[in-house]
Amino acid sequence: MPPKVASTKGAIKVRTGDDENAVETLDGHEEYIPGLENKQLLKPENQLKLTETELKEEITQVLTANNPHAPHNIVRWNFKESQYKPIANIDQIVIHFSMDSNLIHCESEEAKIQMRMQGDEDDTSDRLGSTAGASVRSAARSHSSARVRGDDTKSSASEIDIEEDDAPEEEEEKSGSKVDVEVKGRDATPVPSHEQATTQKRAPKEKKLTNQFNFSERGAQTYNYPVRDRSTITEPPPRANFSGMVTQWEIYDSYQEDFGRQQAEKQKEQKKTITVKKEVEVKKKKANLTGELIGDSIEMIAPAVKILERMVNQNTFDDISQDFKYYEDQSDEFRDQEGSLLPLWTFTLEKVKKMAITALCWSPKYMDLFGVSHGSYDYTKQGGGGVLLLYTLKNPSYPEYILDTTSGIMSLDIHPEYPYLITMGFFDGNVGVYNIMENKEQLACMSSSNTQKHTDTVWQVKWQPEDLDGNLNFYSVSSDGVVVVWTLIKNELGFQKVIHLIMKELITEGPNGTQLITLGSGVTFDFHPMKQHLFLVGTQEGKVHFCSKYHSHAFIDTYDAHHMAIYRVAWNPYHPKIFITCSEDWTIKIWDQTTNSREPMFTFDLGSSVGDVAWAPYSSTVFAAVTGDGKVCVYDLNVNKFEPLCEQVLTSKKRTKLTHIAFNPKHPIIIASDDRGTVICLKLSPNLRKKPKEKKTQEVLKPEEKEAMRIEYEYQKLEKLLQMVRQGDEKAKRKPAAAKAATKATEAKKNE
């Protein structure tokens, strides 16, 4: 009887060799197999040799269903927080195959027909599988008997393959059956009879067993649900054709009806908003009365703390507040051509004491609020950056808003219609817009080298009315010789050059017939109060260019105004042909655009460099200026055309210079700044702010009519002064001509 081979859990390959009867199976156990003497286990030469501890070590491997190629840096715009936020949930599904199918109800006639057809196919496949299995078994039986007979004649060096498979026979539907034939030992499998085959065919199918030779982790055997698309078919909407004749009055009537409908809807919306606001206010009052606080956040009590702080400051500076409201210098009644300035508050902050104030600007809507920009005029002291401060007269001890910038702020302007928007120009050539309502410590939008910017310091910025598309825009002038308009489009700044400040007298010819163009350094500019497309530009070379937005290649006119840099140019708010300039050459000049001569109408020598000059908003003949020696000078041309009515020293230190000055649009006060970070508020005496007396007939007029009459009065007042100056100039020109004629007549008499 041949020796029986011990059952193993895998295929074993052996070869004849020395007396090794122990065979190592795939599961790691050694078993003795009789009849396999002098046979050796065949192992690959490059197989890794492991120790017993390494073989017994359990290695845990975790498989996840995540897609390694899925992007992890997807961001989307968050409208609530107004910024881009990364997406936390990433789609890990990868579709390799998709197929559209139809769902049929299991009790429908069509489903019953398909199930019947499928059952017939299963019966035919079972019959074919039984006949094929009988033929295969008979062939395997003959082959095994032949193999048993030939074992005695084979040499001991032949190899034997012993394979075992515990899995049952697998039957494939719709494609026949596959039979695996295995020979265990030397026993032949008996062929079943016809009755046994029929019973096996009718017997229920056995459950398929898993392959125990392949390792698989159950945690990874997840079911992927197929993706299905559902669609519905709807009926198309009804359509109808209509035609008719339309006249002009019918179109007009329809537009009027639509306009009336829109107005009615707006009124309804306004009523809704009013009712909602009232409900919110009632809820807030109830919450305050009952003392129900939502949290301990400082933001909830910030308005109350601000009011309390203002009350404390009002008590602290009560005498100054009383002077601001009620004090009038009675000595002005005894001096007609003199006035005085009463110092009120002093605004300063510890962190900006060593920084110069580069710009001042009152808010056009909130008359107690003004902005102060801090930077440095020295090129070697630009490492500290800049600071924007917004002060209010209600709290002089500390600013309302503070904004730190990386570069020094050299100019600023507050929007006349949207006072929460502040534009700034920086020392490095950039411009930016700050939104107070966002209450953030950063700019809402800012230019950069990628989106184009100035190549030198931006000395002044100015808001302008909205363009034809309704976008906000402002202008800027820089030392690089270019005037630029910036347009705000979705928190971005659009860049467009308006005009180049070309110096025609310095144009030289280069090689090959080219022209080398030299640009002037723009320092200040101002737009016409009535014609917004006209503006003046003052340069560092002492010239004033009269420009237009519609002509970007040439100037309308050019004035050789000063011998040194011009620090300010400003149109008169009442007279459309008069503008004023101040310069480093110690002079202030008033110019008339209508005269053909290039000589100023008035010239004032202040004895020091004039840092800034400003027209008074209440009079066409009053203006004020600040000098480098710390003086404030107030002039009224209607009272004295040669000397100031008030000249007052504000700084105690000799090295301190006054830099800027600004009139309040409503109250009789001015603010002046120096290069040590201090702002001083001064009140004008009655002689410095004289207004025309109202007639009895004006009491019946409306406020708009009164304002129109006041503007006309101020215009005529300045025009009379100009007529006197023009007539004096004509007489002065006639005197030399008459003197020349007299000399010629005397010489002719002598010759006779």
Side-chain angles (χ1 to χ4, degrees), residues 456-527:
D456 211 334
T457 305
V458 180
W459 292 110
Q460 191 173 358
V461 290
K462 200 80 172 178
W463 285 104
Q464 283 296 290
E466 298 178 357
D467 56 10
L468 297 177
D469 297 331
N471 298 320
L472 300 177
N473 63 90
F474 62 92
Y475 283 70
S476 63
V477 64
S478 172
S479 297
D480 59 2
V482 182
V483 178
V484 176
V485 56
W486 304 86
T487 306
L488 274 73
I489 304 174
K490 295 182 179 179
N491 293 334
E492 294 182 0
L493 291 176
F495 176 91
Q496 184 179 359
K497 296 180 180 179
V498 178
I499 194 170
H500 292 79
L501 306 178
I502 300 174
M503 301 178 66
K504 296 182 180 180
E505 63 274 9
L506 297 180
I507 296 177
T508 58
E509 293 185 359
N512 300 328
T514 59
Q515 289 184 346
L516 300 178
I517 299 175
T518 304
L519 297 179
S521 299
V523 179
T524 178
F525 70 122
D526 190 29
F527 287 87

Side-chain angles (χ1 to χ4, degrees), residues 8 60 65 71-72 94 102 117 143-144 151 184 232 335 374 387 422 494 520 524 544 570 581 603 611 678 682:
T8 60
T60 305
H72 296 276
V94 179
N102 297 325
M117 293 174 62
H143 177 69
S144 61
D151 283 341
K184 296 184 180 180
T232 58
R335 48 184 184 183
H374 294 265
V387 180
I422 302 175
T524 178
V544 175
T581 59
T603 302
T678 303
L682 306 165

